[in-house]
Amino acid sequence: MLVLTRKVGESIKISLNKRVDPDTLARVLFDAGPIEILIAHLHLGRSEVKLGIQAHPDLVILRNELYDA
């Protein structure tokens, strides 16, 4: 499980790994189960939340600032 900390206004992006054929059926990506997003921790004093994300290994999960880089 990937754990990311996000602040108010920050985001994440989930995309297909570049090595995977874009015509891959969605059912293949969900064979192991759905994408699960867990609120792992909420820190109100810093306006932060820790998200735990479980997804198929062929899906790439990045903070928005890394995705755009």
Side-chain angles (χ1 to χ4, degrees):
M1 179 177 286
L2 173 66
V3 177
L4 295 173
T5 300
R6 298 282 72 201
K7 294 181 181 177
V8 173
E10 295 180 332
S11 63
I12 61 171
K13 291 189 177 180
I14 300 174
S15 61
L16 195 57
N17 190 317
K18 290 180 182 177
R19 65 180 171 78
V20 176
D21 180 356
D23 292 330
T24 299
L25 295 175
R27 71 174 169 75
V28 172
L29 298 175
F30 291 95
D31 275 347
I35 296 171
E36 179 180 357
I37 300 175
L38 169 74
I39 307 302
H41 181 76
L42 177 61
H43 193 293
L44 293 175
R46 289 192 250 169
S47 298
E48 291 180 346
V49 64
K50 282 192 179 182
L51 301 172
I53 306 164
Q54 183 73 38
H56 192 280
D58 285 334
L59 293 173
V60 178
I61 304 165
L62 292 174
R63 299 177 307 192
N64 191 51
E65 58 270 23
L66 293 178
Y67 186 86
D68 294 337

